[in-house]
Amino acid sequence: MSYASRRAKFNEKFDEIFSSIFGTLAGFVVATGSLMRFAIQSIRSVFTKPFRWDEIISHMEFVGNKSVVIIVLSGSFTGLALAMQIYLGFKLVNMTALVGPTVGLGVLRELGPVLTGLIVSARAGGAMAARLGTMRVTEQIDALEVMGVDPVQYLVSPRIIATVLVMPLLTGIFDFVAMAGCWVICIFLFGIDQASFWDRTTMWLKPYHLYEGLFKAALFGLFFAVICTERGYKTKGGAEGVGNATNEGVVTSMVMIIVLDFFITNLINVFYRFQKYFMS
Amino acid sequence: MSEQDDKPQSEAVPSPPTEEASSARVPEDKNTAGRPKFTGKNAIELKDVKKSFDGKEFVLNGIDLQIPRGQITVIIGYSGTGKSVLLKHILGLVTPTSGSIKVQGQELTEMTEAQRTQLRQGYGMLFQYSALFDDMTALENVMFPLKEHRRGQMKKSEMQEVAKARLKDAGLDPKHFNKLPSEMSGGMRKRVGLARALALDPEILIYDEPTTGLDPVLTEMVDNLIVSTHNARKGSTSVVVSHDLYAAFRIADHVAMLDSGRVLLYGTPEDFLNSEIDLVKRFVAKGVRKELTPKEGEEPLRSTE
Ligand SMILES: Nc1ncnc2c1ncn2[C@@H]1O[C@H](COP(=O)(O)OP(=O)(O)O)[C@@H](O)[C@H]1O
Ligand SMILES: [Mg+2]
């Protein structure tokens, strides 16, 4: 094979790969752009009349109340498992009294918001995408528009607000039961002294660790609610479309929560550093 | 049956709250409040409207159509010729690829979303599959537009009265008022959808295949309801998309036939009966049998041009 023909073949392959990368990238940018526009539109319509308190309350009930059981279950078992694992490590260096604060920090700052986000996005986020998708394909959203009711304001904004409000509460419950699980394991299974458990835990855990986690939770709620409602709202084509929208919404939300968590954690650390700088 | 059904309706319509609310919203000239007086002949004008969803195939391919104010215009055509898409253009739910759409003299394509939302409050629409809110009962569905747009003007009990009256007009038995759409038959859902469309006494009424899937008795009842509703509101404009040529001739002042994304023929029912266009002649011949959809195994009626 001559150099020229090999060169041509290489060019062709290169173009192909490049255009596919570019296409994916462009698609991603466009999708992100339209998601942002949707988010801005729905957050803006929260502040337009009529205010939909009833809707917000009923969605809070749906997102929150109906997730409590799952959250309590997964929270307590997370606490139990984590305490067990960490005890094994700390026993080697005879610092078992530090199991409490270690589990506490991990749960309050990371696992609480992340796991709550994942669980609630799968349950409530999926349900939102399915509901809005069904309303789209059965022309209920068109019917709203024809009646002069802004469907984003009526359907989307209350769901987003309700999720942002409820996520910190659920995370708080998760944190509480996880710590309770940890306490049960430490005191009754490993026989760690009550007083030193509490002493160490209150020494290391500060309220701002809790607030940090709750802030993250609200942010995760915002993200998965926007993603899932957007997928549902823009559903195309029949029952199959609804299934796809639900699937896409949940998967995107979960990945986004894990990816975002890293960046938010970093941002929060930067914030702490600046805070110290300003205070000193 | 329909004659008797119309009687309670004409009594129910002027129930005080509705009358008050609608006269507050719709001034003498039948225009939406706040807009300059519109005295034009055509409520809706479409000029060379083209629409393609995918950039290749044109669902609408140069629609020219004038819908006269104060009359009933029926749009006929086969399934998939873009009748529903045309209605969505008129409602401003879909933007045309090119062309102009004027509603009461105002260019729809140049309006902001807020202006379009405002405009739509003067529309009432019955969807092809009713499009009822499936988490609300029949009564709640009809009350919904009232709750949205009559907040502060009507008490909740008044809204309930109006909604009940509308549902009775549409022929729904009161024992079904608190049923969810999933517990109702297709015909019952249609009635609820009709009641909901009429809840606000709109100026422009749009029906997307209101009688498709209903039995002949119900079809006649719905047709009569369309006409009596239209007549009860002087100056209101009705646009009916239909499969049913027989009904179209009975209720229409004007008929427009769509084919291949264009208006094949526009005229009075007589124009259709006297038309020399081959497809229209075959259409009219079919119309005697009331159904326009080609039956199984039949050669489909398609434009051959
Ligand atoms: N939102 C949409 N996206 C893509 N294609 C559409 C959309 N809405 C309608 N169509 C297509 O337009 C054509 C006309 O549909 P429609 O107006 O529903 O027909 P009908 O005359 O039976 O009401 C169909 O082929 C349909 O697939
Ligand atoms: Mg249709």
Side-chain angles (χ1 to χ4, degrees):
Chain A
M1 211 189 270
S2 73
Y3 171 75
S5 76
R6 256 187 297 161
R7 180 72 217 216
K9 203 156 186 172
F10 174 79
N11 278 352
E12 203 177 282
K13 208 79 199 157
F14 184 83
D15 282 356
E16 204 175 280
I17 292 169
F18 185 78
S19 69
S20 103
I21 291 174
F22 183 78
T24 315
L25 228 62
F28 182 73
V29 170
V30 168
T32 312
S34 84
L35 188 69
M36 290 288 274
R37 266 190 22 202
F38 184 79
I40 291 167
Q41 189 194 351
S42 46
I43 290 165
R44 195 188 285 154
S45 29
V46 171
F47 303 103
T48 57
K49 280 185 179 175
F51 302 116
R52 304 196 179 272
W53 300 116
D54 296 0
E55 292 296 312
I56 294 178
I57 301 284
S58 82
H59 291 305
M60 281 176 78
E61 204 263 336
F62 175 78
V63 177
N65 197 13
K66 294 187 176 157
S67 302
V68 168
V69 176
I70 329 175
I71 291 296
V72 166
L73 258 179
S74 27
S76 53
F77 279 90
T78 304
L80 293 173
L82 211 59
M84 274 199 164
Q85 298 283 18
I86 287 171
Y87 176 82
L88 289 181
F90 277 14
K91 198 170 179 281
L92 296 176
V93 287
N94 271 333
M95 297 215 296
T96 49
L98 283 180
V99 171
T102 311
V103 171
L105 278 176
V107 167
L108 257 53
R109 299 183 64 182
E110 281 297 330
L111 289 178
V114 171
L115 288 182
T116 309
L118 293 180
I119 292 163
V120 181
S121 70
R123 202 198 69 81
M128 284 177 197
R131 179 89 192 90
L132 291 187
T134 308
M135 292 192 76
R136 167 62 73 194
V137 301
T138 56
E139 292 187 311
Q140 291 176 55
I141 292 181
D142 289 333
L144 280 172
E145 273 185 288
V146 171
M147 287 176 202
V149 176
D150 179 355
V152 171
Q153 207 249 356
Y154 176 68
L155 296 172
V156 178
S157 305
R159 283 179 164 82
I160 293 176
I161 293 304
T163 312
V164 170
L165 292 177
V166 160
M167 271 297 289
L169 295 178
L170 290 173
T171 304
I173 295 174
F174 187 100
D175 292 349
F176 179 79
V177 290
M179 280 313 285
C182 170
W183 178 79
V184 167
I185 285 270
C186 287
I187 307 300
F188 296 106
L189 193 65
F190 300 138
I192 298 171
D193 178 47
Q194 278 267 22
S196 73
F197 179 88
W198 285 118
D199 187 46
R200 294 305 170 121
T201 306
T202 47
M203 188 175 140
W204 287 100
L205 286 188
K206 295 288 173 239
Y208 65 80
H209 292 134
L210 176 71
Y211 303 152
E212 182 189 327
L214 299 188
F215 171 72
K216 272 188 186 177
L219 219 54
F220 293 158
L222 175 70
F223 271 88
F224 85 70
V226 168
I227 290 169
C228 289
T229 48
E230 198 246 11
R231 286 292 93 197
Y233 191 78
K234 295 187 178 163
T235 300
K236 282 203 178 75
E240 198 187 50
V242 179
N244 288 342
T246 311
N247 196 10
E248 274 172 33
V250 171
V251 171
T252 317
S253 299
M254 289 181 140
V255 175
M256 280 304 278
I257 285 173
I258 292 169
V259 171
L260 264 172
D261 180 57
F262 172 74
F263 292 104
I264 295 169
T265 307
N266 274 310
L267 276 179
I268 290 173
N269 287 343
V270 169
F271 171 76
Y272 284 150
R273 206 172 301 162
F274 272 93
Q275 207 182 23
K276 266 182 216 143
Y277 174 78
F278 283 123
M279 278 173 170
S280 63
Chain B
M1 153 179 186
S2 47
E3 281 305 306
Q4 286 141 13
D5 267 22
D6 287 341
K7 288 228 174 67
Q9 187 229 351
S10 49
E11 280 161 23
V13 167
S15 61
T18 333
E19 191 76 327
E20 200 178 79
S22 64
S23 59
R25 189 171 56 83
V26 187
E28 278 299 280
D29 64 340
K30 297 294 170 196
N31 269 323
T32 307
R35 255 196 267 128
K37 193 177 174 186
F38 175 73
T39 48
K41 185 170 149 287
N42 297 321
I44 299 161
E45 284 181 59
L46 294 106
K47 277 210 188 74
D48 199 28
V49 172
K50 294 187 179 174
K51 177 65 184 181
S52 169
F53 287 102
D54 54 8
K56 282 173 254 161
E57 216 173 308
F58 279 84
V59 178
L60 303 184
N61 200 359
I63 297 264
D64 286 299
L65 182 62
Q66 278 100 41
I67 295 175
R69 194 165 61 96
Q71 303 196 341
I72 300 180
T73 302
V74 176
I75 299 170
I76 55 172
Y78 300 111
S79 279
T81 45
K83 303 185 296 295
S84 298
V85 172
L86 178 65
L87 289 186
K88 283 183 182 165
H89 278 82
I90 293 173
L91 293 159
L93 297 178
V94 176
T95 25
T97 311
S98 68
S100 136
I101 301 167
K102 279 190 180 149
V103 175
Q104 301 191 322
Q106 287 190 307
E107 183 59 51
L108 205 61
T109 49
E110 286 164 9
M111 283 186 187
T112 63
E113 192 50 42
Q115 285 172 312
R116 272 195 283 251
T117 304
Q118 168 76 22
L119 179 89
R120 285 188 204 118
Q121 292 178 21
Y123 282 119
M125 169 141 185
L126 176 59
F127 282 85
Q128 188 166 358
Y129 303 104
S130 306
L132 298 182
F133 302 123
D134 45 27
D135 55 346
M136 298 182 195
T137 64
L139 194 62
E140 285 167 345
N141 259 288
V142 183
M143 279 172 74
F144 182 81
L146 295 166
K147 277 187 193 157
E148 285 297 315
H149 297 300
R150 296 289 182 269
R151 224 181 270 259
Q153 297 168 7
M154 283 167 82
K155 284 205 277 300
K156 203 173 170 199
S157 57
E158 290 172 327
M159 290 180 188
Q160 209 157 25
E161 285 316 302
V162 173
K164 278 181 182 164
R166 289 287 181 279
L167 281 168
K168 274 194 207 113
D169 301 344
L172 191 76
D173 196 304
K175 74 180 177 212
H176 303 308
F177 281 8
N178 290 316
K179 280 190 178 165
L180 291 170
S182 56
E183 301 162 337
M184 290 188 269
S185 70
M188 281 153 72
R189 274 182 237 152
K190 272 262 155 72
R191 293 166 190 266
V192 179
L194 191 59
R196 187 178 68 179
L198 297 174
L200 290 173
D201 289 318
E203 301 141 68
I204 300 179
L205 267 161
I206 296 181
Y207 304 84
D208 193 357
E209 311 210 10
T211 55
T212 304
L214 298 187
D215 63 53
V217 179
L218 289 183
T219 301
E220 201 182 323
M221 200 276 295
V222 171
D223 287 343
N224 285 338
L225 200 57
I226 292 172
V227 175
S228 65
T229 309
H230 182 83
N231 292 341
R233 301 190 49 77
K234 269 206 153 59
S236 74
T237 309
S238 299
V239 183
V240 185
V241 160
S242 186
H243 257 117
D244 188 346
L245 194 64
Y246 175 75
F249 284 2
R250 253 174 15 101
I251 67 174
D253 294 309
H254 296 276
V255 182
M257 180 171 164
L258 291 197
D259 185 61
S260 312
R262 288 208 188 86
V263 178
L264 184 68
L265 180 64
Y266 174 82
T268 59
E270 286 73 39
D271 294 338
F272 270 75
L273 290 173
N274 304 328
S275 171
E276 288 303 313
I277 302 173
D278 186 43
L279 185 68
V280 176
K281 275 165 97 171
R282 290 161 71 190
F283 224 94
V284 171
K286 285 263 171 183
V288 176
R289 281 182 8 214
K290 296 188 187 179
E291 269 300 318
L292 294 180
T293 330
K295 299 252 161 17
E296 199 85 47
E298 262 177 3
E299 166 200 13
L301 283 174
R302 268 274 154 212
S303 173
T304 44
E305 49 155 349

